[in-house]
Amino acid sequence: MDNRLLLALIIMVILTIILLVGRRLYLRSQRVRRRLHLSAIFTNITHELLTPLSVISASVDKLRDTEPQYSHEYDMMQFNIQRMVRLLQQILETSKSDAGQLRLLVAQGDVMKYIRQTAECLEPLIGKKDMKFSINCQPESMMGWIDTDKLDKIIYNLLSNAAKYGKEGGTVSISAITNDKYDEVEIKVSDDGDGISAKQMKHLFKRFHDGDYRQHQTNGTGLGLSLTRDLVYLNRGTITCHSEEGKGTEFIVRLPIKKEAFAPDQIDEKHKIDFNIPKNTIVDINTIVPDVNADPEDPIEDGYKLLVVEDNLELLMLMQQLLKTTYHVYIARNGAEAIKVIHEKELDLIISDVMMPEMDGIELTKAVKADPNYNHLPIILLTAKTQEEDEKEALQSGADEYLRKPFRLGDLKLRIDNIIENRKRMQTEFSQFSAEEEVKHIAKAPSPDEAFVNQVLANIHKHIDDETYDRDALAADMGTSASTLYNKLRSITGMNVSAFIRDVRMKEARRLGMENPNLRVSDLAYSVGFHDPRYFATCFKKQFGIQPKEFLESLQQKGQGK
């Protein structure tokens, strides 16, 4: 009886295990089926998107032939088309890898020549960050068997990664050497960027790893290194990474290039590698990278001067092209470049992205608002962040406006025009102030711009009867340069320094005349810093439309009438 009970218990345990294992296998198969189904959907979508992109690309080429004067715009369109093609192809290859459908097809050709030509096509991508780029192939020429499509993607992903995460002005290098038997090629891609921490190294080749191990604010799909590893394994090769924080990173790929390393169905005997066919989809972006030091093209007469700061090259170019029809547009690719432009150019407004390398938009805003020479410049921040805390941080840093991406150009122009109109309204108010209103204005709690003007007014009134008090003396009292004083005062009031000083003197003369109509014109002139009564009379009439003598006489007659 005990044996039968024990046997029954054993059978029950076995059945339970079978049920649990069966359920787990069933759920796993369902997940696999769903993943394969989603992979098939992504594959179909990718194929569908590649077709209209090809049509758009062909249409752009046709437009280039018929309307060649817009070459800059065509270059930008093609650059973005080819960038989308790259991303879609990467998604397609990843889907194939998941489904086990990646296929290798090697052909015979000059391996070293192919690696060099592919790397050279990527030089503009690296050059746009002012990096030094070196290519070293030893030997210079050597025949072997490679899948050019897969090798192109491996080289592109590794070099674009080095360009993305390397430091600006640093170095990127690629080398290719063979072993003693000439049956393997070793490709090394290195940069001198910030490096990768040991903790993050563990996740380096995981799908959707976003690369924040380098703490750079860059965009990516998180597929590049994972796909690169899959492609290397498909080629029966190996990939390793050596990195040291603060010193840089090196990827080492070893690939077999001997015919015997591949299966018969992976070998293309009929076709050799044709070096006349472009190996990748990267265009020579040197032709479309804007010069951040250049003055605006075709400047609008009397147009407002804007500085656009954006690290995304395509968006920077697009905004420059769209805004330059209305404004003077200067550009910078990060906060550090922007500071240089701010110091060198006369600006009215700054538009800046938030997420940028070196100095981000928040840091740029704080730096500008903390500098008394430039804190009058309005700043509009653009960001892809959507949290309320992010907007609060931007406004607390001193930004005048905050616009979320994606945004409409009309919304951006509306904010620019609103800021400009507010400045014009402030300029009108200051120009219409009487001397009494100016004094009252000095006494009230001001904004930073008003505080600056109040200090200017106080200094001028302090030396109102000093004929030698000019813009240089005023700049010295303000503790700034004459050029900075000019830029800031013109931006806020619409007047240059000399005109503003003269405006204050005229208003004070009018006030003194109203207080004491019996003053002589010469005494009135001397009291507000004019040593020439005739020139004083000319300025007075120009501002108020009446000679000072007539003005005083009219006041006397009014007094007698009372």
Side-chain angles (χ1 to χ4, degrees), residues 50 85-86 88-90 92-94 96 101-107 114-115 118 145-157 227-228 230-232 234-235 255 268 273-274 277-281:
L50 284 171
V85 169
R86 271 279 179 190
L88 290 171
Q89 287 177 338
Q90 197 149 271
L92 186 59
E93 293 288 285
T94 302
K96 286 181 179 179
Q101 295 175 350
L102 277 178
R103 295 290 180 263
L104 192 70
L105 190 63
V106 298
Y114 182 84
I115 292 173
T118 303
W145 293 81
I146 54 174
D147 184 325
T148 56
D149 176 65
K150 305 301 185 287
L151 184 53
D152 169 66
K153 289 181 173 64
I154 291 169
I155 293 173
Y156 173 84
N157 281 331
L227 177 60
T228 299
D230 293 346
L231 295 175
V232 169
L234 181 69
N235 277 269
L255 301 174
D268 182 2
I273 299 170
D274 185 355
I277 299 174
K279 303 304 184 296
N280 56 56
T281 58

Side-chain angles (χ1 to χ4, degrees), residues 381 383 385 387 390-391 394-395 400-404 415:
L381 287 180
T383 184
K385 293 182 175 182
Q387 299 297 319
D390 300 317
E391 182 173 358
L395 295 175
D400 296 81
E401 286 283 358
Y402 182 87
L403 192 59
R404 292 188 177 95
R415 283 163 171 77

Side-chain angles (χ1 to χ4, degrees), residues 50 53 79-89:
L50 284 171
L53 281 174
F79 181 80
N80 281 279
I81 290 169
Q82 295 185 22
R83 183 180 179 188
M84 289 184 69
V85 169
R86 271 279 179 190
L87 292 172
L88 290 171
Q89 287 177 338

Side-chain angles (χ1 to χ4, degrees), residues 4-147:
R4 277 184 285 178
L5 180 61
L6 180 61
L7 181 61
L9 288 172
I10 291 172
I11 292 172
M12 288 180 63
V13 170
I14 292 172
L15 288 173
T16 302
I17 292 172
I18 291 172
L19 286 171
L20 290 173
V21 171
R23 183 174 183 274
R24 179 169 292 184
L25 290 173
Y26 171 77
L27 292 174
R28 181 179 296 175
S29 68
Q30 289 294 100
R31 287 196 296 270
V32 170
R33 288 179 62 186
R34 283 197 296 269
R35 188 165 63 248
L36 291 176
H37 180 63
L38 287 173
S39 178
I41 291 174
F42 277 123
T43 301
N44 291 335
I45 291 173
T46 301
H47 276 298
E48 290 297 321
L49 289 173
L50 284 171
T51 300
L53 281 174
S54 300
V55 174
I56 294 170
S57 180
S59 301
V60 171
D61 288 337
K62 185 177 180 180
L63 283 171
R64 192 190 295 272
D65 292 335
T66 56
E67 299 289 340
Q69 67 269 29
Y70 302 109
S71 61
H72 187 88
E73 285 77 8
Y74 299 142
D75 285 343
M76 187 165 58
M77 291 178 196
Q78 286 290 12
F79 181 80
N80 281 279
I81 290 169
Q82 295 185 22
R83 183 180 179 188
M84 289 184 69
V85 169
R86 271 279 179 190
L87 292 172
L88 290 171
Q89 287 177 338
Q90 197 149 271
I91 294 171
L92 186 59
E93 293 288 285
T94 302
S95 298
K96 286 181 179 179
S97 179
D98 285 343
Q101 295 175 350
L102 277 178
R103 295 290 180 263
L104 192 70
L105 190 63
V106 298
Q108 190 178 31
D110 192 326
V111 178
M112 295 303 187
K113 185 176 180 181
Y114 182 84
I115 292 173
R116 176 174 289 278
Q117 286 193 3
T118 303
E120 285 174 348
C121 289
L122 285 153
E123 188 168 4
L125 187 68
I126 299 167
K128 76 175 185 177
K129 288 186 70 174
D130 298 324
M131 291 176 164
K132 296 177 182 177
F133 183 42
S134 64
I135 305 170
N136 179 36
C137 295
Q138 295 294 333
E140 289 288 331
S141 176
M142 190 188 68
M143 298 300 288
W145 293 81
I146 54 174
D147 184 325

Side-chain angles (χ1 to χ4, degrees), residues 111-112 115-116 119 133-140 151 154-155 158-159 172-178 184-191 250-255:
V111 178
M112 295 303 187
I115 292 173
R116 176 174 289 278
F133 183 42
S134 64
I135 305 170
N136 179 36
C137 295
Q138 295 294 333
E140 289 288 331
L151 184 53
I154 291 169
I155 293 173
L158 292 179
L159 282 177
V172 171
S173 66
I174 179 171
S175 67
I177 59 174
T178 60
E184 181 183 86
V185 62
E186 180 185 81
I187 302 170
K188 292 184 179 179
V189 175
S190 61
D191 65 69
E250 181 179 66
F251 286 91
I252 303 171
V253 174
R254 292 184 176 90
L255 301 174

